[in-house]
Amino acid sequence: MQPIGTPTGAEVKQGAYLDHIRSGACKRQQEAALAVLALSSRPLTRHEIAELAGMALSSSCARANALLDLKLIEVAGTVKPAGVRSPRSTLRLTEKGRIEAARVLRELAA
């Protein structure tokens, strides 16, 4: 039993997530994922996005899911890298995503 006034683990996680959103970190990570996809000549997995954007895999997955919901990216297919048990989805920009990625890249260049 928790003492009165002590937040639960779920409340702590929710608070940390809201802080992440308020700080702009989620937006920056989404923009990094868009930029990485825009600069790639082929669809990428969430693992590749994480590696190229310099973020944790969990962050890459969360940002990819948000970008899928916003219809900025779409699932292009699947790949099964050597030594991996299950296939991984590959992601690519939609037309709407290309427009947004171009804006992000212009801002980064300025």
Coordinates of all heavy atoms in Angstrom, one line a residue:
M1 N 0.8 -1.2 0.0 CA 0.0 0.0 0.0 C 0.9 1.2 0.0 O 1.8 1.3 0.7 CB -0.9 0.0 1.2 CG -1.9 1.1 1.2 SD -3.1 0.7 2.5 CE -3.6 2.3 2.9
Q2 N 0.5 2.2 -0.8 CA 1.3 3.4 -1.0 C 0.9 4.4 0.1 O -0.3 4.5 0.4 CB 1.0 4.1 -2.3 CG 1.5 3.2 -3.5 CD 2.6 3.9 -4.2 OE1 3.1 4.9 -3.7 NE2 3.0 3.4 -5.3
P3 N 1.8 5.2 0.7 CA 1.4 6.3 1.6 C 0.6 7.3 0.8 O 0.7 7.5 -0.4 CB 2.7 6.9 2.0 CG 3.8 5.9 1.7 CD 3.2 5.1 0.5
I4 N -0.3 8.0 1.5 CA -1.1 9.0 0.9 C -0.2 10.1 0.4 O 0.7 10.6 1.0 CB -2.1 9.6 2.0 CG1 -3.0 8.6 2.4 CG2 -2.8 10.8 1.4 CD1 -4.0 9.0 3.6
G5 N -0.5 10.5 -0.9 CA 0.2 11.6 -1.5 C 1.4 11.2 -2.4 O 2.0 12.0 -3.1
T6 N 1.7 9.9 -2.3 CA 2.8 9.4 -3.1 C 2.3 9.0 -4.5 O 1.4 8.2 -4.6 CB 3.5 8.2 -2.4 OG1 3.9 8.6 -1.2 CG2 4.7 7.7 -3.3
P7 N 2.9 9.5 -5.6 CA 2.3 9.1 -6.9 C 2.7 7.7 -7.3 O 3.7 7.2 -6.8 CB 3.0 10.1 -7.9 CG 4.3 10.6 -7.1 CD 3.9 10.5 -5.7
T8 N 1.8 7.1 -8.0 CA 2.0 5.7 -8.5 C 3.0 5.8 -9.6 O 3.3 6.8 -10.2 CB 0.7 5.1 -9.0 OG1 0.2 5.8 -10.1 CG2 -0.4 5.1 -7.9
G9 N 3.5 4.6 -10.0 CA 4.4 4.5 -11.2 C 3.8 5.1 -12.4 O 4.4 5.8 -13.2
A10 N 2.5 4.8 -12.7 CA 1.8 5.2 -13.9 C 1.7 6.8 -13.8 O 1.9 7.4 -14.9 CB 0.4 4.6 -14.0
E11 N 1.4 7.3 -12.7 CA 1.4 8.8 -12.6 C 2.7 9.5 -12.8 O 2.8 10.5 -13.5 CB 0.8 9.2 -11.2 CG -0.6 8.8 -11.0 CD -1.1 9.0 -9.5 OE1 -0.2 8.9 -8.6 OE2 -2.3 9.2 -9.3
V12 N 3.8 8.8 -12.4 CA 5.1 9.4 -12.6 C 5.4 9.3 -14.1 O 5.9 10.3 -14.7 CB 6.2 8.6 -11.8 CG1 7.6 9.0 -12.2 CG2 6.0 8.8 -10.3
K13 N 5.1 8.2 -14.8 CA 5.4 8.0 -16.2 C 4.6 9.1 -17.0 O 5.1 9.7 -17.9 CB 5.0 6.6 -16.7 CG 6.0 5.6 -16.2 CD 5.5 4.2 -16.7 CE 6.4 3.1 -16.1 NZ 5.9 1.8 -16.4
Q14 N 3.3 9.2 -16.6 CA 2.4 10.2 -17.3 C 3.0 11.6 -17.1 O 3.0 12.4 -18.1 CB 1.0 10.1 -16.8 CG 0.0 11.1 -17.4 CD -0.3 10.8 -18.8 OE1 0.0 9.7 -19.3 NE2 -0.8 11.8 -19.5
G15 N 3.5 12.0 -16.0 CA 4.0 13.3 -15.7 C 5.3 13.5 -16.5 O 5.5 14.6 -17.1
A16 N 6.1 12.5 -16.6 CA 7.4 12.6 -17.4 C 7.0 12.8 -18.9 O 7.7 13.6 -19.6 CB 8.2 11.3 -17.2
Y17 N 6.0 12.0 -19.4 CA 5.6 12.2 -20.8 C 5.1 13.6 -21.0 O 5.5 14.2 -22.0 CB 4.6 11.1 -21.1 CG 4.0 11.2 -22.5 CD1 4.9 11.0 -23.6 CD2 2.7 11.6 -22.7 CE1 4.4 11.1 -24.9 CE2 2.2 11.7 -24.0 CZ 3.1 11.4 -25.1 OH 2.6 11.6 -26.4
L18 N 4.3 14.1 -20.2 CA 3.8 15.5 -20.4 C 4.9 16.5 -20.3 O 4.9 17.5 -21.1 CB 2.7 15.8 -19.3 CG 1.4 15.0 -19.4 CD1 0.5 15.2 -18.3 CD2 0.7 15.2 -20.8
D19 N 5.9 16.3 -19.5 CA 7.1 17.2 -19.4 C 7.8 17.1 -20.7 O 8.3 18.1 -21.3 CB 8.0 16.8 -18.3 CG 7.4 17.2 -16.9 OD1 6.5 18.0 -16.8 OD2 8.0 16.7 -15.9
H20 N 7.9 15.9 -21.3 CA 8.6 15.7 -22.6 C 7.9 16.4 -23.7 O 8.6 17.1 -24.5 CB 8.6 14.2 -22.8 CG 9.6 13.7 -23.8 ND1 11.0 13.9 -23.7 CD2 9.5 13.0 -25.0 CE1 11.6 13.4 -24.7 NE2 10.8 12.9 -25.5
I21 N 6.6 16.4 -23.7 CA 5.8 17.1 -24.7 C 6.0 18.6 -24.5 O 6.3 19.4 -25.5 CB 4.3 16.8 -24.6 CG1 4.1 15.3 -25.1 CG2 3.5 17.7 -25.5 CD1 2.8 14.8 -24.9
R22 N 5.8 19.1 -23.3 CA 5.9 20.6 -23.0 C 7.3 21.1 -23.3 O 7.4 22.3 -23.8 CB 5.6 20.8 -21.5 CG 4.1 20.9 -21.2 CD 3.9 21.4 -19.8 NE 4.3 20.5 -18.8 CZ 3.4 19.6 -18.2 NH1 2.2 19.5 -18.6 NH2 3.8 18.8 -17.3
S23 N 8.3 20.3 -23.1 CA 9.7 20.8 -23.4 C 10.0 20.9 -24.9 O 11.0 21.5 -25.3 CB 10.7 19.9 -22.8 OG 10.8 18.7 -23.5
G24 N 9.1 20.3 -25.7 CA 9.4 20.3 -27.2 C 10.2 19.2 -27.7 O 10.5 19.0 -28.8
A25 N 10.6 18.3 -26.7 CA 11.5 17.1 -27.1 C 10.7 16.2 -28.1 O 11.4 15.7 -29.0 CB 11.9 16.4 -25.9
C26 N 9.5 16.0 -27.9 CA 8.7 15.1 -28.8 C 8.7 15.6 -30.2 O 8.9 14.9 -31.2 CB 7.3 14.9 -28.3 SG 7.1 13.7 -26.9
K27 N 8.4 16.9 -30.3 CA 8.4 17.6 -31.6 C 9.8 17.5 -32.3 O 9.9 17.2 -33.5 CB 7.9 19.0 -31.5 CG 7.8 19.7 -32.8 CD 7.3 21.2 -32.6 CE 7.1 21.7 -34.0 NZ 7.6 23.0 -34.2
R28 N 10.8 17.8 -31.5 CA 12.2 17.7 -32.1 C 12.5 16.3 -32.6 O 13.1 16.1 -33.6 CB 13.2 18.2 -31.1 CG 13.2 19.7 -30.9 CD 14.4 20.1 -30.1 NE 14.5 19.6 -28.8 CZ 13.8 20.0 -27.7 NH1 13.0 21.1 -27.8 NH2 13.9 19.5 -26.5
Q29 N 12.1 15.3 -31.8 CA 12.3 13.9 -32.2 C 11.5 13.5 -33.5 O 12.0 12.8 -34.4 CB 12.0 12.9 -31.1 CG 13.0 12.9 -30.0 CD 12.6 12.0 -28.9 OE1 11.5 11.7 -28.7 NE2 13.7 11.6 -28.1
Q30 N 10.3 14.0 -33.6 CA 9.5 13.8 -34.8 C 10.1 14.4 -36.0 O 10.2 13.8 -37.1 CB 8.0 14.3 -34.6 CG 7.1 13.5 -33.8 CD 5.7 14.0 -33.7 OE1 5.4 15.1 -34.1 NE2 4.8 13.2 -33.2
E31 N 10.6 15.6 -35.8 CA 11.3 16.3 -36.9 C 12.5 15.6 -37.3 O 12.9 15.5 -38.5 CB 11.5 17.8 -36.5 CG 10.3 18.6 -36.4 CD 10.5 20.0 -36.0 OE1 11.6 20.3 -35.4 OE2 9.6 20.8 -36.1
A32 N 13.3 15.1 -36.3 CA 14.5 14.3 -36.7 C 14.2 13.1 -37.5 O 14.8 12.7 -38.4 CB 15.2 14.0 -35.4
A33 N 13.1 12.4 -37.1 CA 12.7 11.2 -37.8 C 12.3 11.5 -39.2 O 12.6 10.8 -40.2 CB 11.5 10.5 -37.1
L34 N 11.5 12.7 -39.4 CA 11.1 13.1 -40.7 C 12.4 13.4 -41.6 O 12.5 13.1 -42.8 CB 10.2 14.3 -40.7 CG 8.8 14.1 -40.2 CD1 8.1 15.4 -40.0 CD2 8.1 13.2 -41.2
A35 N 13.3 14.1 -41.0 CA 14.5 14.5 -41.7 C 15.3 13.3 -42.1 O 15.8 13.2 -43.3 CB 15.4 15.4 -40.8
V36 N 15.5 12.3 -41.3 CA 16.2 11.1 -41.6 C 15.5 10.3 -42.7 O 16.2 9.9 -43.7 CB 16.3 10.2 -40.3 CG1 16.7 8.7 -40.7 CG2 17.3 10.7 -39.3
L37 N 14.2 10.2 -42.7 CA 13.5 9.6 -43.8 C 13.6 10.4 -45.1 O 13.7 9.8 -46.2 CB 12.0 9.4 -43.4 CG 11.7 8.3 -42.4 CD1 10.3 8.4 -41.8 CD2 11.9 6.9 -43.1
A38 N 13.6 11.7 -45.0 CA 13.7 12.5 -46.2 C 15.0 12.4 -46.9 O 15.2 12.4 -48.1 CB 13.4 14.0 -45.9
L39 N 16.1 12.2 -46.1 CA 17.4 12.1 -46.6 C 17.8 10.7 -47.0 O 18.9 10.5 -47.6 CB 18.4 12.6 -45.5 CG 18.3 14.1 -45.2 CD1 19.2 14.4 -44.0 CD2 18.6 14.9 -46.4
S40 N 17.0 9.7 -46.7 CA 17.2 8.3 -47.1 C 16.7 8.0 -48.5 O 15.7 8.5 -48.9 CB 16.5 7.4 -46.1 OG 16.7 6.0 -46.5
S41 N 17.4 7.2 -49.2 CA 17.1 6.8 -50.6 C 16.1 5.6 -50.5 O 15.7 5.1 -51.6 CB 18.3 6.5 -51.4 OG 19.0 5.4 -50.8
R42 N 15.8 5.1 -49.3 CA 14.9 3.9 -49.2 C 14.1 4.0 -47.9 O 14.5 4.7 -47.0 CB 15.8 2.6 -49.3 CG 16.7 2.5 -48.1 CD 17.5 1.2 -48.1 NE 18.5 1.2 -47.0 CZ 18.2 0.9 -45.8 NH1 17.0 0.6 -45.4 NH2 19.1 0.9 -44.8
P43 N 13.1 3.2 -47.9 CA 12.3 3.1 -46.6 C 13.2 2.6 -45.5 O 14.1 1.8 -45.7 CB 11.2 2.2 -46.9 CG 11.0 2.2 -48.4 CD 12.4 2.4 -48.9
L44 N 12.9 3.0 -44.3 CA 13.8 2.7 -43.1 C 12.9 2.0 -42.0 O 11.7 2.3 -41.9 CB 14.4 3.9 -42.5 CG 15.3 4.7 -43.4 CD1 15.7 6.0 -42.7 CD2 16.6 3.9 -43.8
T45 N 13.5 1.1 -41.2 CA 12.9 0.5 -40.1 C 13.0 1.5 -38.9 O 13.7 2.5 -38.9 CB 13.5 -0.8 -39.7 OG1 14.9 -0.5 -39.2 CG2 13.6 -1.8 -40.8
R46 N 12.2 1.2 -37.9 CA 12.2 2.1 -36.7 C 13.6 2.0 -36.0 O 14.1 3.0 -35.5 CB 11.2 1.6 -35.7 CG 9.7 2.0 -36.1 CD 8.7 1.3 -35.2 NE 7.4 1.7 -35.5 CZ 6.6 1.2 -36.5 NH1 7.1 0.3 -37.3 NH2 5.4 1.6 -36.7
H47 N 14.2 0.8 -36.1 CA 15.6 0.6 -35.6 C 16.6 1.6 -36.3 O 17.4 2.2 -35.7 CB 16.1 -0.8 -35.7 CG 15.4 -1.8 -34.8 ND1 14.1 -2.2 -35.0 CD2 15.8 -2.3 -33.7 CE1 13.8 -3.0 -34.0 NE2 14.8 -3.1 -33.2
E48 N 16.5 1.6 -37.6 CA 17.4 2.4 -38.4 C 17.1 3.9 -38.2 O 18.1 4.7 -38.1 CB 17.2 2.2 -39.9 CG 17.7 0.8 -40.3 CD 17.3 0.4 -41.7 OE1 16.2 0.7 -42.2 OE2 18.1 -0.3 -42.4
I49 N 15.9 4.3 -38.0 CA 15.5 5.7 -37.7 C 16.2 6.1 -36.4 O 16.8 7.1 -36.2 CB 14.0 5.9 -37.7 CG1 13.5 5.8 -39.1 CG2 13.7 7.3 -37.1 CD1 12.0 5.7 -39.2
A50 N 16.0 5.2 -35.4 CA 16.6 5.5 -34.1 C 18.1 5.7 -34.1 O 18.6 6.6 -33.6 CB 16.2 4.3 -33.1
E51 N 18.8 4.8 -34.9 CA 20.2 4.9 -35.0 C 20.6 6.1 -35.7 O 21.5 6.9 -35.2 CB 20.7 3.6 -35.7 CG 22.2 3.6 -35.8 CD 22.7 2.3 -36.5 OE1 22.1 1.2 -36.3 OE2 23.6 2.4 -37.3
L52 N 20.0 6.4 -36.8 CA 20.4 7.6 -37.6 C 20.0 8.9 -37.0 O 20.7 9.9 -37.2 CB 19.8 7.5 -39.0 CG 20.3 6.3 -39.9 CD1 19.4 6.2 -41.1 CD2 21.7 6.6 -40.3
A53 N 18.9 8.9 -36.2 CA 18.5 10.2 -35.6 C 19.1 10.3 -34.2 O 18.9 11.4 -33.6 CB 17.0 10.2 -35.5
G54 N 19.8 9.3 -33.7 CA 20.4 9.4 -32.4 C 19.5 9.4 -31.3 O 19.6 10.1 -30.3
M55 N 18.4 8.6 -31.3 CA 17.5 8.5 -30.3 C 17.3 7.0 -29.9 O 17.7 6.1 -30.6 CB 16.1 9.1 -30.7 CG 15.4 8.4 -31.8 SD 13.7 9.2 -32.1 CE 14.2 10.4 -33.3
A56 N 16.7 6.8 -28.7 CA 16.4 5.5 -28.2 C 15.3 4.8 -29.1 O 14.5 5.5 -29.7 CB 15.9 5.5 -26.8
L57 N 15.4 3.5 -29.2 CA 14.4 2.7 -30.0 C 13.0 3.0 -29.5 O 12.1 3.2 -30.4 CB 14.7 1.2 -30.0 CG 13.7 0.4 -30.8 CD1 13.7 0.7 -32.2 CD2 14.1 -1.1 -30.6
S58 N 12.8 3.1 -28.2 CA 11.4 3.3 -27.7 C 10.9 4.7 -28.2 O 9.8 4.8 -28.5 CB 11.4 3.2 -26.2 OG 12.4 4.2 -25.6
S59 N 11.8 5.7 -28.2 CA 11.4 7.0 -28.7 C 11.1 7.0 -30.2 O 10.2 7.6 -30.6 CB 12.6 8.0 -28.4 OG 12.8 8.2 -27.1
S60 N 11.9 6.2 -30.9 CA 11.7 6.1 -32.4 C 10.4 5.5 -32.7 O 9.6 5.9 -33.5 CB 12.8 5.3 -33.0 OG 12.6 5.0 -34.4
C61 N 10.0 4.4 -31.9 CA 8.8 3.7 -32.1 C 7.6 4.7 -31.8 O 6.6 4.7 -32.5 CB 8.7 2.5 -31.2 SG 9.8 1.2 -31.8
A62 N 7.7 5.4 -30.7 CA 6.6 6.3 -30.3 C 6.5 7.4 -31.3 O 5.3 7.8 -31.7 CB 6.9 6.9 -28.9
R63 N 7.6 8.0 -31.7 CA 7.5 9.1 -32.7 C 6.9 8.5 -34.1 O 6.2 9.2 -34.7 CB 8.8 9.8 -33.0 CG 9.5 10.4 -31.7 CD 8.7 11.5 -31.0 NE 7.7 10.9 -30.1 CZ 8.0 10.5 -28.8 NH1 9.2 10.6 -28.3 NH2 7.0 10.1 -28.0
A64 N 7.4 7.3 -34.5 CA 6.9 6.7 -35.7 C 5.4 6.5 -35.6 O 4.6 6.8 -36.6 CB 7.6 5.4 -36.0
N65 N 4.9 6.0 -34.5 CA 3.4 5.8 -34.3 C 2.7 7.1 -34.4 O 1.6 7.2 -35.0 CB 3.1 5.1 -33.0 CG 3.6 3.7 -33.0 OD1 3.8 3.1 -34.1 ND2 3.8 3.1 -31.9
A66 N 3.2 8.2 -33.8 CA 2.6 9.5 -33.9 C 2.6 10.0 -35.4 O 1.6 10.5 -35.8 CB 3.3 10.5 -33.0
L67 N 3.7 9.8 -36.1 CA 3.8 10.3 -37.5 C 2.8 9.4 -38.4 O 2.3 10.0 -39.3 CB 5.2 10.2 -38.0 CG 6.2 11.2 -37.3 CD1 7.6 10.8 -37.7 CD2 5.8 12.6 -37.7
L68 N 2.7 8.2 -38.1 CA 1.7 7.3 -38.8 C 0.3 7.9 -38.5 O -0.5 8.0 -39.5 CB 1.8 5.9 -38.3 CG 3.0 5.1 -38.9 CD1 3.2 3.8 -38.1 CD2 2.7 4.7 -40.3
D69 N -0.1 8.2 -37.3 CA -1.4 8.7 -37.0 C -1.6 10.0 -37.7 O -2.8 10.3 -38.1 CB -1.5 9.0 -35.5 CG -1.6 7.7 -34.7 OD1 -1.9 6.6 -35.3 OD2 -1.4 7.7 -33.4
L70 N -0.6 10.9 -37.9 CA -0.7 12.1 -38.6 C -0.7 12.0 -40.1 O -0.8 13.0 -40.8 CB 0.4 13.1 -38.1 CG 0.4 13.5 -36.7 CD1 1.7 14.2 -36.3 CD2 -0.8 14.5 -36.4
K71 N -0.5 10.8 -40.5 CA -0.4 10.5 -42.0 C 0.8 11.1 -42.7 O 0.7 11.5 -43.8 CB -1.7 10.8 -42.7 CG -3.0 10.2 -42.0 CD -3.7 9.2 -42.9 CE -5.0 8.7 -42.3 NZ -4.9 7.8 -41.3
L72 N 1.8 11.3 -41.9 CA 3.1 11.9 -42.5 C 4.0 10.8 -43.0 O 4.9 11.1 -43.8 CB 3.8 12.8 -41.5 CG 3.0 14.0 -41.0 CD1 3.8 14.8 -39.9 CD2 2.8 15.0 -42.2
I73 N 3.8 9.6 -42.5 CA 4.6 8.4 -42.9 C 3.6 7.3 -43.1 O 2.5 7.3 -42.6 CB 5.7 8.0 -42.0 CG1 5.2 7.6 -40.6 CG2 6.8 9.2 -41.9 CD1 6.3 7.0 -39.7
E74 N 4.1 6.3 -43.9 CA 3.3 5.1 -44.1 C 4.2 3.9 -44.1 O 5.4 4.0 -44.3 CB 2.5 5.2 -45.4 CG 3.4 5.2 -46.6 CD 2.7 5.6 -47.9 OE1 1.5 5.8 -47.9 OE2 3.4 5.6 -49.0
V75 N 3.6 2.7 -43.9 CA 4.3 1.5 -43.9 C 4.6 1.1 -45.4 O 3.6 1.1 -46.2 CB 3.6 0.3 -43.2 CG1 4.3 -1.0 -43.3 CG2 3.3 0.7 -41.7
A76 N 5.8 0.9 -45.7 CA 6.2 0.6 -47.1 C 6.3 -0.9 -47.3 O 6.1 -1.3 -48.5 CB 7.5 1.3 -47.4
G77 N 6.6 -1.6 -46.3 CA 6.7 -3.1 -46.5 C 7.4 -3.6 -45.2 O 7.3 -3.0 -44.2
T78 N 8.0 -4.8 -45.4 CA 8.7 -5.4 -44.3 C 10.1 -6.0 -44.8 O 10.3 -6.2 -45.9 CB 8.0 -6.6 -43.6 OG1 7.7 -7.5 -44.7 CG2 6.7 -6.1 -43.0
V79 N 11.0 -6.1 -43.8 CA 12.3 -6.7 -44.1 C 12.6 -7.6 -42.9 O 12.1 -7.4 -41.8 CB 13.5 -5.6 -44.2 CG1 13.3 -4.8 -45.5 CG2 13.6 -4.8 -43.0
K80 N 13.4 -8.6 -43.2 CA 13.9 -9.5 -42.1 C 15.4 -9.6 -42.1 O 16.0 -10.3 -42.8 CB 13.3 -10.9 -42.3 CG 13.6 -11.8 -41.1 CD 12.8 -13.1 -41.2 CE 13.1 -14.0 -40.0 NZ 14.4 -14.2 -39.6
P81 N 16.0 -8.7 -41.3 CA 17.5 -8.6 -41.2 C 18.0 -10.0 -40.7 O 17.3 -10.7 -40.0 CB 17.7 -7.5 -40.3 CG 16.5 -6.7 -40.2 CD 15.4 -7.6 -40.5
A82 N 19.2 -10.3 -41.2 CA 19.9 -11.5 -40.7 C 20.0 -11.5 -39.2 O 20.3 -10.5 -38.6 CB 21.2 -11.6 -41.3
G83 N 19.7 -12.6 -38.6 CA 19.9 -12.7 -37.1 C 18.7 -12.2 -36.3 O 18.7 -12.2 -35.1
V84 N 17.6 -11.8 -37.0 CA 16.5 -11.2 -36.3 C 15.3 -12.2 -36.5 O 15.1 -12.7 -37.6 CB 16.1 -9.8 -36.9 CG1 14.8 -9.3 -36.3 CG2 17.2 -8.8 -36.7
R85 N 14.6 -12.5 -35.5 CA 13.5 -13.5 -35.5 C 12.3 -13.1 -36.4 O 11.8 -13.9 -37.2 CB 13.0 -13.8 -34.1 CG 13.9 -14.8 -33.4 CD 13.3 -15.2 -32.1 NE 14.3 -15.1 -31.1 CZ 14.0 -15.1 -29.8 NH1 12.8 -15.1 -29.4 NH2 15.0 -15.0 -28.9
S86 N 11.8 -11.9 -36.2 CA 10.6 -11.5 -36.9 C 10.9 -10.3 -37.8 O 11.8 -9.6 -37.6 CB 9.6 -11.1 -35.8 OG 10.0 -10.1 -35.0
P87 N 10.1 -10.2 -38.9 CA 10.3 -9.1 -39.8 C 10.0 -7.8 -39.2 O 9.3 -7.7 -38.2 CB 9.2 -9.4 -40.9 CG 8.7 -10.7 -40.6 CD 9.0 -11.1 -39.2
R88 N 10.6 -6.7 -39.8 CA 10.4 -5.4 -39.3 C 9.7 -4.5 -40.4 O 10.1 -4.7 -41.5 CB 11.8 -4.7 -38.9 CG 12.4 -5.4 -37.8 CD 13.8 -4.8 -37.5 NE 14.4 -5.4 -36.4 CZ 15.7 -5.3 -36.0 NH1 16.4 -4.5 -36.7 NH2 16.1 -5.9 -34.9
S89 N 8.8 -3.7 -40.0 CA 8.2 -2.8 -40.9 C 9.1 -1.7 -41.4 O 10.0 -1.2 -40.6 CB 7.0 -2.1 -40.3 OG 6.0 -3.0 -39.8
T90 N 9.0 -1.4 -42.7 CA 9.8 -0.3 -43.2 C 8.8 0.9 -43.4 O 7.7 0.7 -43.7 CB 10.5 -0.6 -44.5 OG1 9.5 -1.0 -45.5 CG2 11.6 -1.7 -44.3
L91 N 9.3 2.1 -43.2 CA 8.5 3.3 -43.2 C 9.0 4.3 -44.3 O 10.2 4.3 -44.5 CB 8.5 4.0 -41.9 CG 8.1 3.1 -40.7 CD1 8.4 3.8 -39.4 CD2 6.6 2.7 -40.8
R92 N 8.1 5.0 -44.9 CA 8.5 6.0 -45.9 C 7.6 7.2 -45.7 O 6.5 7.1 -45.1 CB 8.4 5.5 -47.3 CG 7.0 5.2 -47.7 CD 7.0 4.7 -49.2 NE 5.7 4.2 -49.5 CZ 5.4 3.1 -50.2 NH1 6.4 2.5 -50.8 NH2 4.2 2.7 -50.4
L93 N 8.0 8.3 -46.2 CA 7.2 9.6 -46.2 C 6.0 9.5 -47.1 O 6.1 8.9 -48.2 CB 8.0 10.8 -46.5 CG 9.2 11.1 -45.6 CD1 10.0 12.2 -46.3 CD2 8.7 11.6 -44.3
T94 N 4.9 10.0 -46.7 CA 3.7 10.2 -47.6 C 4.0 11.6 -48.3 O 4.9 12.3 -48.0 CB 2.4 10.3 -46.8 OG1 2.5 11.4 -45.9 CG2 2.2 9.0 -46.0
E95 N 3.1 11.9 -49.2 CA 3.2 13.2 -49.9 C 3.2 14.4 -48.8 O 4.0 15.3 -48.9 CB 2.2 13.4 -51.0 CG 2.3 14.7 -51.8 CD 3.7 14.8 -52.5 OE1 4.2 13.8 -53.0 OE2 4.2 15.9 -52.5
K96 N 2.2 14.2 -47.9 CA 2.1 15.2 -46.8 C 3.4 15.2 -46.0 O 3.8 16.3 -45.6 CB 0.9 14.8 -46.0 CG 0.6 15.8 -44.8 CD -0.7 15.3 -44.1 CE -0.9 16.1 -42.8 NZ -2.1 15.5 -42.1
G97 N 4.0 14.1 -45.8 CA 5.2 14.0 -45.0 C 6.4 14.6 -45.7 O 7.2 15.2 -45.1
R98 N 6.4 14.4 -47.0 CA 7.5 15.1 -47.8 C 7.5 16.6 -47.7 O 8.5 17.2 -47.6 CB 7.4 14.6 -49.3 CG 8.0 13.3 -49.6 CD 8.2 13.0 -51.0 NE 7.0 12.5 -51.6 CZ 6.5 11.2 -51.5 NH1 7.2 10.4 -50.7 NH2 5.4 10.8 -52.0
I99 N 6.3 17.1 -47.7 CA 6.1 18.6 -47.6 C 6.6 19.0 -46.2 O 7.3 20.0 -46.1 CB 4.6 19.0 -47.8 CG1 4.3 18.7 -49.3 CG2 4.4 20.5 -47.4 CD1 2.8 18.8 -49.6
E100 N 6.2 18.3 -45.2 CA 6.6 18.6 -43.8 C 8.1 18.4 -43.6 O 8.8 19.3 -43.0 CB 5.8 17.8 -42.8 CG 6.1 18.1 -41.4 CD 5.8 19.5 -40.9 OE1 5.0 20.2 -41.6 OE2 6.2 19.9 -39.8
A101 N 8.6 17.4 -44.2 CA 10.1 17.1 -44.1 C 10.9 18.2 -44.8 O 11.9 18.6 -44.3 CB 10.4 15.7 -44.6
A102 N 10.4 18.7 -45.9 CA 11.1 19.8 -46.6 C 11.1 21.0 -45.8 O 12.1 21.7 -45.7 CB 10.4 20.0 -48.0
R103 N 10.0 21.3 -45.0 CA 10.0 22.5 -44.1 C 11.0 22.3 -43.0 O 11.8 23.2 -42.7 CB 8.6 22.6 -43.5 CG 8.5 23.8 -42.6 CD 7.2 23.8 -41.7 NE 7.2 22.6 -40.8 CZ 7.9 22.5 -39.7 NH1 8.8 23.5 -39.3 NH2 7.8 21.5 -38.9
V104 N 11.1 21.1 -42.5 CA 12.0 20.8 -41.4 C 13.5 21.0 -41.9 O 14.3 21.6 -41.2 CB 11.8 19.4 -40.8 CG1 12.9 19.0 -39.9 CG2 10.5 19.3 -40.1
L105 N 13.8 20.4 -43.0 CA 15.1 20.6 -43.6 C 15.5 22.0 -43.9 O 16.6 22.4 -43.7 CB 15.3 19.7 -44.8 CG 15.2 18.2 -44.5 CD1 15.2 17.4 -45.8 CD2 16.4 17.7 -43.7
R106 N 14.5 22.8 -44.4 CA 14.8 24.2 -44.6 C 15.1 24.9 -43.3 O 16.0 25.7 -43.2 CB 13.6 24.9 -45.3 CG 13.5 24.7 -46.8 CD 12.5 25.7 -47.4 NE 11.2 25.6 -46.8 CZ 10.2 24.7 -47.1 NH1 10.4 23.9 -48.0 NH2 9.0 24.8 -46.5
E107 N 14.4 24.6 -42.2 CA 14.6 25.2 -40.9 C 16.0 24.8 -40.4 O 16.7 25.6 -39.8 CB 13.5 24.9 -39.9 CG 12.2 25.6 -40.2 CD 11.1 25.2 -39.2 OE1 11.4 24.5 -38.2 OE2 10.0 25.7 -39.4
L108 N 16.4 23.6 -40.6 CA 17.7 23.1 -40.1 C 18.8 23.8 -40.9 O 19.9 24.1 -40.3 CB 17.8 21.6 -40.2 CG 16.9 20.8 -39.3 CD1 17.0 19.3 -39.7 CD2 17.3 21.0 -37.9
A109 N 18.6 24.1 -42.1 CA 19.6 24.7 -43.0 C 19.8 26.2 -42.7 O 20.8 26.8 -42.9 CB 19.3 24.5 -44.5
A110 N 18.7 26.8 -42.1 CA 18.7 28.3 -41.9 C 19.6 28.6 -40.6 O 20.0 27.9 -39.9 CB 17.3 28.8 -41.7

